[in-house]
């Protein structure tokens, strides 16, 4: 398909401009003889989004999501690439499982699925996975997400082995000795409700530990879903020291607070938990000044029956792929180009995908594109989500900015808001 996209505002790393975009043979070209012309007047045309943090649930929990349904949700959210989290069953801790996930992604054909692998075998926190072998198989990010690696000696070894392999340790920061039984953020709201709390300190201690391990070993670290003001401050200081650290924040941590738990609804239960307004503002500030590099969804589908359980029995997590842009544009007081940066080329670089995603919109680049209406105002309807699970906390929250088309290697995965497969 030769495609001409006219009248849009192109935003990429080089800035913002009004140009027509020509696509042929899966790439941006100087000029083409179009089979299809898209009128993008009033729309933003940008490199496709890259999610660093997607739980696809396959293999093992296909009742909540599959690689196909999660990829479809991603495409509808403007994503052309996603990093699949390894807390599957079996765990993505060896080449065969990683290859399975990658292959299923290719078969679904809705976005590039890049598996991450766990840091420890079975995410048990005791024995490192074969980093070199997994790196050879194309894995760039390693994480025990769902849990942090508790043992500092093991984590030190992980950083030491990682160094030189071109891979990055991505930490879910939680000192579990401080969070046992917790269902929400430890603070005023939690005390008032009489529920067991997850203190900010449990995250901050591990952020601090890993920053010091980066300083010691020189290996890079990526911090997953930062949620507290102090965590943001620690990463800001580490970057000022020139350390190779990056960080992400989720749509829910930049928009929602622990006050929502007053409903006792487990739809608002997530790990790390929703924090206070001061923390939300610190996360926004971190995104605005570049301390936090990327918005990552932590898309965590769970079947309705489990999220309807009482708070202490429900699993933590929220879906996020289809609402991330809408939340970001509605809640961030940042130039649109900077928001797009946090969704596209900055996460692409962290995932090691900069050759194929987040590329400048210029002749020769692969045509991986998102086209969205920055002025659209909308509300999410859970039953309409393409994800197999509906556990979104954004019902009734006004969203701004909606994806219209997503293009993967020059082909529509989403056209006029409809998934194409
Ligand atoms: O809320 C969360 N859900 N946090 C995690 O770290 C894991 C995730 C999941 O897998 O459901
Ligand atoms: Zn996590």
């Amino acid at each position: 398909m030769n495609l001409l996209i006219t009248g849009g505002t192109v935003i990429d790393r080089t800035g913002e401009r009004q140009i027509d975009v020509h696509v042929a043979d899966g790439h941006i070209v100087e000029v083409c003889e179009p089979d299809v012309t898209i009128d993008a007047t009033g729309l933003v045309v940008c490199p496709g989004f890259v999610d660093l943090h997607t739980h696809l649930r396959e293999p093992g929990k296909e009742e909540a999501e599959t690689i196909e349904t999660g990829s479809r949700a991603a495409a509808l959210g403007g994503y052309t690439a996603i990093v699949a989290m390894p807390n599957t069953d079996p765990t993505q801790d060896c080449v065969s499982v990683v290859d399975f996930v990658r292959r299923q992604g290719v078969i679904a054909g809705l976005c590039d699925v890049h598996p991450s692998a766990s840091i420890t075998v079975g995410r048990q926190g005791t024995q490192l996975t074969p980093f070199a072998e997994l790196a050879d198989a194309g894995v760039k990010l390693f994480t025990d997400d769902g849990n942090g690696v508790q043992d500092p000696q093991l984590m030190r070894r992980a950083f030491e082995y990682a160094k030189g392999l071109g891979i990055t340790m991505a930490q879910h920061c939680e000192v579990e000795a401080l969070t046992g039984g917790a269902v929400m953020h430890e603070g005023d709201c939690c005390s008032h409700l009489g529920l067991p709390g997850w203190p900010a300190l449990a995250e901050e201690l591990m952020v601090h530990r890993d920053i010091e391990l980066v300083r010691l070993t020189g290996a890079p670290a990526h911090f997953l879903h930062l949620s507290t003001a102090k965590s943001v401050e620690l990463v800001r200081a580490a970057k000022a020291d020139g350390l190779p650290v990056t960080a992400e924040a989720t749509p829910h941590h930049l928009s929602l607070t622990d006050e929502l738990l007053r409903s006792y609804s487990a739809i608002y239960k997530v790990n790390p938990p929703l924090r206070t307004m001061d923390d939300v503002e610190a996360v926004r500030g971190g995104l605005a000044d570049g301390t936090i590099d990327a918005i990552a969804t932590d898309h965590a589908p769970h079947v309705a029956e489990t999220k309807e359980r009482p708070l202490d029995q429900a699993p933590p997590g929220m879906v996020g792929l289809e609402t991330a842009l809408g939340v970001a544009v509605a809640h961030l007081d940042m130039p649109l180009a900077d928001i797009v940066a946090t969704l596209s080329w900055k996460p692409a670089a962290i995932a090691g995908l900069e050759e194929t995603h987040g590329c400048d919109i210029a002749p020769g680049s692969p045509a991986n594109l998102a086209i969205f209406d920055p002025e659209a105002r909308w509300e999410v309807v859970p039953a309409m989500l393409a994800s197999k699970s509906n556990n979104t906390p954004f019902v009734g929250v006004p969203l701004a900015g909606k994806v219209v088309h997503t293009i993967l290697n020059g082909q529509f995965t989403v056209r006029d808001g409809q998934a194409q497969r």
Side-chain angles (χ1 to χ4, degrees):
M1 178 186 68
N2 288 359
L3 173 66
L4 171 61
I5 305 162
T6 63
T9 302
V10 168
I11 296 180
D12 64 12
R13 196 175 9 201
T14 66
E16 211 171 305
R17 59 208 176 275
Q18 300 288 141
I19 51 159
D20 293 348
V21 178
H22 297 257
V23 174
D25 296 326
H27 287 77
I28 314 285
V29 293
E30 208 72 64
V31 61
C32 71
E33 209 39 69
D35 308 309
V36 177
T37 301
I38 292 276
D39 179 7
T41 306
L43 306 182
V44 169
V45 181
C46 63
F49 304 151
V50 176
D51 190 26
L52 291 170
H53 198 143
T54 305
H55 295 278
L56 288 172
R57 302 297 188 222
E58 184 182 355
K61 274 229 168 64
E62 292 82 354
E63 65 277 20
E65 195 80 285
T66 65
I67 292 167
E68 183 188 333
T69 59
S71 300
R72 187 170 297 118
L76 285 162
Y79 291 90
T80 52
I82 57 179
V83 176
M85 288 288 113
N87 62 336
T88 49
D89 184 14
T91 307
Q92 288 163 217
D93 62 3
C94 59
V95 172
S96 61
V97 180
V98 157
D99 280 349
F100 167 80
V101 171
R102 197 192 309 280
R103 263 199 318 275
Q104 293 303 111
V106 172
I107 291 168
L110 284 152
C111 71
D112 285 349
V113 175
H114 294 275
S116 58
S118 58
I119 297 172
T120 69
V121 175
R123 298 172 51 255
Q124 293 297 302
T126 52
Q127 187 189 343
L128 298 179
T129 54
F131 287 2
E133 213 177 298
L134 287 157
D136 277 347
V139 176
K140 295 278 203 259
L141 290 178
F142 286 68
T143 179
D144 274 6
D145 182 57
N147 300 95
V149 175
Q150 302 298 305
D151 179 349
Q153 168 71 337
L154 191 69
M155 201 57 222
R156 176 185 177 175
R157 292 279 174 262
F159 280 118
E160 283 168 346
Y161 288 133
K163 213 183 159 194
L165 288 176
I167 59 175
T168 300
M169 296 294 115
Q171 194 74 277
H172 163 119
C173 291
E174 174 180 359
V175 173
E176 287 165 11
L178 290 166
T179 62
V183 299
M184 66 175 292
H185 171 65
E186 179 184 297
D188 292 347
C189 187
C190 168
S191 316
H192 190 249
L193 296 173
L195 293 169
W198 199 128
L201 179 68
E203 175 174 304
E204 294 150 1
L205 276 178
M206 195 171 283
V207 172
H208 177 72
R209 181 199 74 182
D210 281 9
I211 286 170
E212 293 313 312
L213 288 174
V214 167
R215 204 187 305 275
L216 181 73
T217 62
H222 175 69
F223 293 104
L224 302 168
H225 45 48
L226 287 189
S227 70
T228 85
K230 184 75 192 282
S231 295
V232 177
E233 196 40 56
L234 287 165
V235 171
R236 185 176 285 123
K239 286 191 167 185
D241 288 349
L243 297 178
V245 296
T246 55
E248 63 179 46
T250 68
H252 44 275
H253 289 116
L254 64 84
S255 59
L256 307 178
T257 71
D258 60 344
E259 292 291 326
L260 289 163
L261 274 302
R262 290 189 186 280
S263 66
Y264 288 97
S265 167
I267 209 80
Y268 302 113
K269 182 178 177 183
V270 65
N271 191 12
L274 300 178
R275 305 276 185 194
T276 66
M277 201 59 213
D278 284 348
D279 296 306
V280 168
E281 276 164 10
V283 166
R284 291 176 184 164
L287 283 161
D289 75 4
T291 299
I292 301 175
D293 304 83
I295 294 171
T297 66
D298 196 0
H299 178 84
H302 291 288
V303 294
E305 180 270 312
T306 63
K307 289 299 267 185
E308 284 158 8
R309 291 177 191 160
L311 268 182
D312 60 331
Q313 290 159 40
M318 304 165 163
V319 294
L321 287 167
E322 295 171 73
T323 46
L325 175 74
V327 173
V329 174
H331 290 269
L332 292 174
D333 186 19
M334 283 163 58
L336 204 51
D338 291 352
I339 293 177
V340 173
T342 66
L343 288 164
S344 181
W345 52 91
K346 288 171 126 192
I350 292 167
L353 301 176
E354 60 273 30
E355 299 291 316
T356 44
H357 294 273
C359 304
D360 295 345
I361 298 183
S365 293
N368 293 322
L369 303 170
I371 302 177
F372 69 89
D373 178 357
E375 300 300 331
R377 298 291 178 269
W378 61 290
E379 278 195 23
V380 63
V381 179
M384 303 282 285
L385 293 172
S387 173
K388 215 167 175 181
S389 296
N390 291 336
N391 52 308
T392 172
F394 293 109
V395 175
V397 177
L399 304 180
K402 199 164 197 316
V403 173
V404 182
H405 313 288
T406 309
I407 294 165
L408 178 67
N409 296 320
Q411 305 290 329
F412 287 103
T413 52
V414 171
R415 188 168 178 181
D416 294 318
Q418 302 297 317
Q420 297 299 290
R421 42 192 305 180

